[in-house]
Amino acid sequence: MVMRQLAGRGIRDTRVLVAMRWAPREWFLPPHLGPEAYSDAPLPIGNGQTISQPYVVALMTERLRPARTDRILEIGTGSGYQAAILAYIASAGKVFTIERLPDLLVESEERFRRLGLTNIETRLGDGAAGWPEEAPFDGIIVGAAAPRVPEPLAAQLAPGGRLIIPIGDLSSQELVILERPADAPGKLVQREAGAVRFVPLISRLAFTEGM
Ligand code: SAH
């Protein structure tokens, strides 16, 4: 998977490739999907949610540029796979992950324990509000699509930090990267990183006036 689906398609960051070689993706899936764990596709994880295809996880992680000591916020824990990849890379930092569905959160907490990942904190709730008590974050990654960037998330981005989020509706979404430049922390610089397809972020906050 790592060579054909990731390196072969332009993922260059060694930390991302090493982390994805390390993570046992089959542990993040319902048992009957084990044989498909390394296929080039998003897969159902229950509760109507999906785990992203490996390439999209790699692309988002590479664009986030996580450092070893970073504090990272993830919205939409889902299976826990993306959080595990981030926690592996930010081994001397911390990953804060928020999920709105309790069943999914309980399962992913069990996976983190089994993998010995002690630098992940979880929270049940609406991720669009962020995690103000732990802000600011060096990186924020959203695994569900919103019509616009939830304002609390942009506000919780540290100088030099990046926020990565799929923006759009059910039929068409663009991966958006917002950066708060270290030398101009009052500004947010926006770039786009290609078309993606995610499940929707379910939140009243994401639909209020954002950016
Ligand atoms: N990153 C995950 C996949 C995310 S799927 C993985 O690696 O498996 C999107 C997840 O976002 C779903 O689990 C969904 O329940 C969750 N979600 C949707 N809206 C949310 C919100 N407002 N706050 C927190 N989680 C939310």
Side-chain angles (χ1 to χ4, degrees):
M1 169 188 90
V2 167
M3 286 320 295
R4 200 164 29 85
Q5 294 176 33
L6 309 183
R9 276 201 217 147
I11 302 296
R12 290 281 167 267
D13 190 327
T14 332
R15 293 166 308 170
V16 176
L17 298 173
V18 168
M20 291 192 63
R21 194 167 273 138
W22 160 79
R25 195 167 147 91
E26 64 278 12
W27 286 17
F28 295 85
L29 294 168
H32 71 280
L33 288 176
E36 289 178 62
Y38 297 92
S39 66
D40 184 20
L43 295 168
I45 54 172
N47 288 270
Q49 305 303 323
T50 52
I51 179 172
S52 301
Q53 89 193 80
Y55 174 72
V56 172
V57 174
L59 178 70
M60 289 180 80
T61 311
E62 185 173 76
R63 294 304 167 96
L64 193 71
R65 279 194 271 129
R68 210 173 70 85
T69 55
D70 273 0
R71 291 162 51 83
I72 299 163
L73 175 66
E74 183 200 27
I75 312 305
T77 316
S79 68
Y81 182 70
Q82 173 78 73
I85 298 288
L86 291 169
Y88 183 85
I89 296 174
S91 56
K94 207 159 202 183
V95 174
F96 300 87
T97 183
I98 308 177
E99 170 60 51
R100 60 181 284 272
L101 300 175
D103 293 358
L104 291 180
L105 197 60
V106 167
E107 284 176 16
S108 56
E109 282 166 348
E110 178 54 32
R111 291 172 182 134
F112 302 149
R113 256 193 301 280
R114 207 174 145 197
L115 287 164
L117 294 168
T118 52
N119 60 333
I120 305 182
E121 276 194 40
T122 60
R123 177 183 250 191
L124 185 67
D126 182 2
W131 195 322
E133 300 85 354
E134 296 290 351
F137 301 98
D138 304 302
I140 302 178
I141 187 163
V142 186
R148 60 187 73 83
V149 178
E151 208 283 325
L153 296 185
Q156 291 173 31
L157 202 54
R162 276 167 302 285
L163 161 64
I164 178 151
I165 179 172
I167 295 291
D169 54 29
L170 274 182
S171 60
S172 151
Q173 301 161 12
E174 182 79 20
L175 203 54
V176 165
I177 305 168
L178 271 193
E179 181 159 358
R180 187 181 294 289
D183 55 0
K187 276 207 306 202
L188 286 170
V189 180
Q190 180 167 331
R191 272 171 299 145
E192 278 160 21
V196 285
R197 192 143 194 186
F198 279 82
V199 297
L201 186 77
I202 311 286
S203 167
R204 277 190 318 133
L205 281 174
F207 294 87
T208 56
E209 256 329 286
M211 312 232 351

